[in-house]
Amino acid sequence: MRQRPFVLSSDPLAPFPPADSAMQEPDGLLAIGGDLSLPRLLNAYRHGIFPWFSPGQPPLWWSPDPRMVFATDGVRLSSRFRRGLRHSPWEVRADTAFEQVITACAKAPRPGQHGTWITSGMRQAYIDLHRHGHAHSVEVFEGDALVGGIYGVAIGRMFFGESMFSGRSGGSKVALAALAARLHGWGWPLIDAQVENDHLVSLGAVRMPRHRFLAEVAGLVDLPAPAGPWTLRFGRMPAAELAQASVP
């Protein structure tokens, strides 16, 4: 394990050090510096690495051990929550409001956090990824009102979740469950959830040793998947569909 993070060069095509050489304290810190250019971000995700840093800091790159993941057939909604969805007017769509979702995620209050790690530069970097077909949002609407959403990065058949928000109670849960249901139907087995918290665990996230996570990612990112926006492929999913115990 490294005693200090690797310093990245200014070349956006320069390789990262092996993800399993990340520091133990703080857990998973691998590298520092570089930029949030499209080629560097895609290279990072392909190797199980993600950026996470506060305003005023240089980019920090992470690969924690263990990694939190959802099996796409393993997202849990409580029976009470599912019963409440049976007559829900909400509808779930994809890639129709990416900028709204990432902006709402940046503004959402987080327990124990002051401010947001989704800086203006981070926000623009993921908007660029979205415009190039690599980042996607799943959105929950009630009529024209956005009530929840999630966004992340897709490479091959691997989805790397970044952040989610609720504009109304349960909005993020519906977005996550709908995303998982669609990905499971497409043959995508995993959603990366990055680091552990109680909320993710309550929804079914589990720990995966980093060596296993990296092996899974290495295989999944090379599998073929249609490029471009998900809007038509995802379709429009009534949230009431998620009331079924077998979904996803």
Side-chain angles (χ1 to χ4, degrees):
M1 298 294 177
R2 293 182 179 276
Q3 299 303 311
R4 62 186 63 184
F6 181 88
V7 178
L8 293 174
S9 79
S10 60
D11 180 2
L13 299 178
F16 284 86
D20 58 6
S21 67
M23 297 170 61
Q24 289 183 317
E25 183 59 42
D27 178 30
L29 181 58
L30 175 71
I32 184 171
D35 56 24
L36 298 176
S37 63
L38 187 145
R40 197 185 303 264
L41 282 170
L42 291 178
N43 186 31
Y45 281 103
R46 288 187 68 90
H47 292 91
I49 302 162
F50 61 89
W52 187 25
F53 55 96
S54 299
Q57 291 182 321
L60 301 176
W61 303 87
W62 303 79
S63 182
D65 186 20
R67 192 70 160 242
M68 293 304 290
V69 300
F70 288 98
T72 54
D73 61 352
V75 172
R76 294 196 303 260
L77 299 178
S78 70
S79 297
R80 180 178 180 182
F81 186 79
R82 284 189 280 105
R83 284 196 300 271
L85 290 177
R86 289 175 183 169
H87 303 290
S88 172
W90 291 357
E91 182 180 76
V92 189
R93 311 167 197 167
D95 287 343
T96 68
F98 184 90
E99 293 189 30
Q100 287 177 259
V101 169
I102 193 171
T103 298
C105 288
K107 294 179 178 179
R110 311 285 178 184
Q113 294 185 20
H114 302 284
T116 179
W117 57 270
I118 306 175
T119 63
S120 59
M122 183 79 81
R123 179 178 176 277
Q124 188 57 54
Y126 286 85
I127 290 172
D128 289 344
L129 280 174
H130 173 66
R131 290 173 177 167
H132 284 83
H134 303 295
H136 302 278
S137 59
V138 172
E139 311 115 9
V140 185
F141 285 93
E142 182 172 345
D144 293 329
L146 182 66
V147 300
I150 186 172
Y151 78 94
V153 176
I155 303 177
R157 296 187 191 176
M158 181 68 203
F159 190 86
F160 302 90
E162 275 297 315
S163 187
M164 56 186 180
F165 84 99
S166 290
R168 296 183 191 169
S169 179
S172 63
K173 293 181 183 179
V174 168
L176 173 64
L179 169 66
R182 281 291 188 261
L183 293 180
H184 184 63
W186 297 345
W188 298 38
L190 293 176
I191 297 172
D192 175 29
Q194 298 183 346
V195 295
E196 183 173 354
N197 64 50
D198 291 342
H199 181 60
L200 295 177
V201 172
S202 74
L203 293 171
V206 297
R207 296 179 176 185
M208 181 178 285
R210 181 170 54 207
H211 69 88
R212 182 181 163 201
F213 175 78
L214 296 175
E216 294 280 358
V217 167
L220 291 170
V221 297
D222 285 334
L223 294 177
W230 283 358
T231 307
L232 293 178
R233 187 182 185 201
F234 190 97
R236 295 187 172 212
M237 176 189 292
E241 286 186 13
L242 298 169
Q244 303 173 41
S246 60
V247 178

